[in-house]
Amino acid sequence: MQIEIIKYIQSMTSPFGDIFFQLVTMTGEEYFYIFAAAIIFWCVNKKFGYKLGFALLTSVIVNVALKDIVNSARPIGVNGIRSLRVETATGSSFPSGHTQGSATFWISCIIHVRKKWIYFVGILAIFLVGYSRLYLGLHYPIDVIGGIGIAIIWTFISNYIFDYADASKKTWVLLIIIVPMLIGMIFFKDKSYYAIVGTVLGFCVGYIIETKYVQYDVRGTKLKQFIKLVFGIGVLIILRNVLKGILPVNIISDLFRYFIIGLWITVGAPIIFKRFVNVSSTIEN
């Protein structure tokens, strides 16, 4: 039945649809979320940026681990199904990482904003990303449904843990997630897993340093916000590519490289913004 559903969806394909749904599926990829979370953290709302980043990053870890455990085949190569943008199809099929990431992002936004328009935009975005994975022949319907269900559950779990740690100032509570994540490195020798573990470690270390010593404030004029984005994202891209070029090709290097990226987003960039972009730091967000 799942194959027939994909075939039915693909019976309505068109050149425009091919382009449109490849663009849609890109909003479910890591670059979109890294940039979106960085923009929110640097320029919109620091506390929400932390909570969103924590939910997204840990959700990816859950996804990669589940993919490795379930190890289900994708519909790629199944007779009668065509697959596009197969380079995004990393790991096994269940659950859909793109759908889970999109759902985690938009559910987090819905919980924070609580406006009618964000409900509409968020639900539509989640549906389109999930549909795009079927349209492109990269996942089965159960993968998409599973991704959404896991995202809903995990977003509330991660929000609860982060809110408690932040409100109580007991940052050690984050170890509830970090310790199992580190133990998982013994069992999941996957490049993606080590990269995301590095990002989470950098993110959490940066969170502890920034909240205690930097106390960065996101406020600033439109010009200053633009400067922060261009500079912050520019350095992020440079760090990612330069470190990739000079470090050995192995999972430990990926761990270190993404650890630096996590630190840059949470504490490196804020220190520079506070010092040179003249952004006030007297009011917490």
Side-chain angles (χ1 to χ4, degrees):
M1 178 180 286
Q2 295 198 73
I3 293 175
E4 293 305 314
I5 291 173
I6 297 173
K7 287 181 178 179
Y8 175 74
I9 291 173
Q10 293 194 338
S11 69
M12 297 178 282
T13 58
S14 67
F16 171 79
D18 291 352
I19 296 172
F20 176 75
F21 284 111
Q22 287 188 71
L23 291 174
V24 167
T25 211
M26 290 173 67
T27 67
E29 295 172 6
E30 65 172 288
Y31 300 109
F32 175 83
Y33 298 122
I34 289 175
F35 292 152
I39 290 169
I40 291 171
F41 177 75
W42 290 336
C43 302
V44 181
N45 186 303
K46 186 175 71 175
K47 184 172 181 179
F48 176 52
Y50 274 132
K51 186 187 295 188
L52 175 63
F54 188 68
L56 281 170
L57 293 172
T58 53
S59 179
V60 174
I61 288 178
V62 171
N63 182 266
V64 174
L66 284 175
K67 280 179 179 289
D68 193 80
I69 293 170
V70 178
N71 196 29
S72 59
R74 291 176 180 268
I76 299 173
V78 172
N79 186 40
I81 294 179
R82 65 165 194 161
S83 297
L84 301 176
R85 200 170 170 76
V86 293
E87 64 272 18
T88 67
T90 57
S92 58
S93 196
F94 181 90
S96 167
H98 284 69
T99 309
Q100 185 175 327
S102 176
T104 302
F105 178 82
W106 289 108
I107 291 169
S108 296
C109 291
I110 288 171
I111 293 172
H112 176 75
V113 178
R114 296 182 181 275
K115 300 290 185 181
K116 290 183 179 179
W117 68 267
I118 197 67
Y119 281 90
F120 174 77
V121 172
I123 292 172
L124 178 62
I126 294 169
F127 171 79
L128 286 175
V129 170
Y131 187 89
S132 75
R133 303 309 283 171
L134 303 178
Y135 181 99
L136 299 176
L138 300 174
H139 279 289
Y140 291 104
I142 190 63
D143 305 332
V144 170
I145 295 171
I148 294 173
I150 293 166
I152 293 172
I153 295 170
W154 187 253
T155 299
F156 282 99
I157 291 174
S158 65
N159 281 357
Y160 178 81
I161 293 172
F162 180 83
D163 283 339
Y164 180 79
D166 187 67
S168 66
K169 306 302 179 184
K170 298 177 180 178
T171 53
W172 60 265
V173 171
L174 300 179
L175 293 174
I176 294 173
I177 291 179
I178 293 175
V179 170
M181 173 188 76
L182 294 175
I183 294 173
M185 294 171 64
I186 300 172
F187 304 98
F188 306 117
K189 301 296 184 179
D190 183 272
K191 177 180 178 179
S192 299
Y193 188 87
Y194 273 66
I196 200 64
V197 167
T199 311
V200 172
L201 290 176
F203 182 88
C204 290
V205 171
Y207 163 70
I208 294 170
I209 296 172
E210 190 282 322
T211 53
K212 187 172 183 179
Y213 299 107
V214 182
Q215 298 179 354
Y216 164 72
D217 186 359
V218 303
R219 295 176 305 166
T221 64
K222 291 181 180 179
L223 176 60
K224 290 177 180 177
Q225 301 289 36
F226 177 75
I227 292 172
K228 286 192 292 183
L229 288 180
V230 172
F231 178 77
I233 291 176
V235 173
L236 189 154
I237 294 172
I238 292 171
L239 278 174
R240 184 178 184 278
N241 292 328
V242 169
L243 290 174
K244 185 176 182 179
I246 63 177
L247 293 174
V249 180
N250 56 55
I251 55 179
I252 301 301
S253 294
D254 291 324
L255 177 77
F256 176 75
R257 182 158 56 103
Y258 280 88
F259 174 78
I260 297 300
I261 289 173
L263 276 181
W264 169 252
I265 293 173
T266 51
V267 70
I271 287 175
I272 293 176
F273 295 158
K274 184 178 178 179
R275 175 67 179 83
F276 296 103
V277 189
N278 192 31
V279 178
S280 171
S281 63
T282 58
I283 298 179
E284 276 293 319
N285 288 279

